Amino acid sequence: MKVVEKFVSINGESTRAGELAVFLRFKGCNLNCSYCDTKWANEVECPYESLSVEEIVQYVKETGIKNVTLTGGEPMLQNEIVSLVDSLLEQPGIRVEIETNGSVDLSQFSFRKKPVFTMDYKSPSSGCNDRMCLENFRGLTGEDTVKCVVANREDLDRAKSVIEQYQLTEKCHVYFSPVFGSIEPEEIVNYMLEHKMNDVRLQIQMHKVIWDPNQRGV
């Protein structure tokens, strides 16, 4: 498996934001979002470690950290992702989250012990809105999250429409996350107030507040 970063930090997003987590960042993505903050991990020449499932599991065990976040790039593109998740979930106390861009079919986990998904819904400003696999919404559960990354009012309007159409707040956690430097969190809160958006949460990328927004390995 092509790993470009592995490190321990706090979870800056998701339902376990603020908790310690061990991160595995995989190389490559099938999208090219305008606001991507890890484009370097998608470049052909980006260096990586070729690690087996067993080596990754051993690394996770050595950290002593229970929360494991598989991210990218797009981790669902890794050929052995299912085997890795199965192996990690066999370890006592380990909790696995996959951060996925929302364009890749998640149904391969439908009939097995599955990880928690934090799935993006790509906004119009991303340039990839038409690439969303909307069928994924049907398989989400109460432990999963849909994260709507928004940069402007149009993004908010589109996200609101999708949340209502698929009744997402009745199925899973739903977050608004601002594109860093493009929209003020206050504008998102005012939009939520304007539309009485109960059960939707504003989430700030905590790691970008604590450390330099461009710093890697955090």
Side-chain angles (χ1 to χ4, degrees):
M1 303 183 79
K2 298 179 179 180
V3 179
V4 297
E5 276 191 315
K6 61 184 193 295
F7 59 93
V8 175
S9 183
I10 61 159
N11 205 330
E13 304 177 89
S14 85
T15 56
R16 293 193 176 276
E19 295 186 19
L20 292 176
V22 52
F23 289 82
L24 282 302
R25 186 181 305 284
F26 296 99
K27 179 178 179 176
C29 188
N30 59 320
L31 301 182
N32 186 26
C33 295
S34 63
Y35 50 65
C36 180
D37 54 8
T38 53
K39 286 185 182 292
W40 60 269
N42 307 329
E43 296 171 355
V44 175
E45 65 273 17
C46 178
Y48 65 90
E49 289 183 86
S50 183
L51 299 178
S52 67
V53 168
E54 293 75 18
E55 287 172 324
I56 293 173
V57 172
Q58 183 60 32
Y59 167 72
V60 170
K61 290 168 64 176
E62 289 172 357
T63 68
I65 303 301
K66 291 184 176 181
N67 295 324
V68 180
T69 299
L70 308 180
T71 188
E74 174 48 61
M76 290 296 296
L77 299 179
Q78 298 292 314
N79 291 332
E80 295 183 271
I81 191 67
V82 174
S83 295
L84 176 59
V85 170
D86 285 348
S87 296
L88 286 170
L89 290 177
E90 288 175 357
Q91 308 305 313
I94 292 295
R95 301 180 288 244
V96 180
E97 173 198 9
I98 293 182
E99 294 184 338
T100 179
N101 65 27
S103 71
V104 181
D105 182 11
L106 305 180
S107 64
Q108 57 189 306
F109 285 102
S110 296
F111 302 104
R112 60 196 315 119
K113 190 173 182 181
K114 76 178 190 66
V116 170
F117 290 109
T118 296
M119 189 186 87
D120 284 1
Y121 175 74
K122 298 298 184 185
S123 58
S125 70
S126 73
C128 298
N129 181 253
D130 61 345
R131 301 285 299 278
M132 294 294 90
C133 180
L134 299 178
E135 280 297 309
N136 284 336
F137 289 149
R138 303 184 188 280
L140 298 179
T141 69
E143 292 188 335
D144 300 319
T145 298
V146 172
K147 182 179 68 177
C148 303
V149 182
V150 295
N152 52 43
R153 179 84 182 202
E154 181 188 7
D155 287 352
L156 287 163
D157 287 340
R158 180 65 64 84
K160 176 177 176 292
S161 175
V162 168
I163 291 166
E164 292 173 349
Q165 179 181 352
Y166 291 91
Q167 299 178 308
L168 293 180
T169 54
E170 297 177 21
K171 297 178 180 179
C172 61
H173 303 281
V174 180
Y175 292 160
F176 279 150
S177 182
V179 175
F180 192 81
S182 294
I183 187 172
E184 291 298 324
E186 182 181 0
E187 184 176 344
I188 300 174
V189 174
N190 288 337
Y191 186 92
M192 293 166 66
L193 287 168
E194 177 186 349
H195 295 281
K196 306 296 187 290
M197 298 189 72
N198 295 302
D199 300 319
V200 175
R201 301 177 186 179
L202 170 67
Q203 180 165 266
I204 308 297
Q205 291 177 294
M206 191 180 299
H207 53 290
K208 291 187 178 180
V209 176
I210 298 173
W211 295 283
D212 185 302
N214 298 312
Q215 186 170 333
R216 298 183 187 179
V218 293

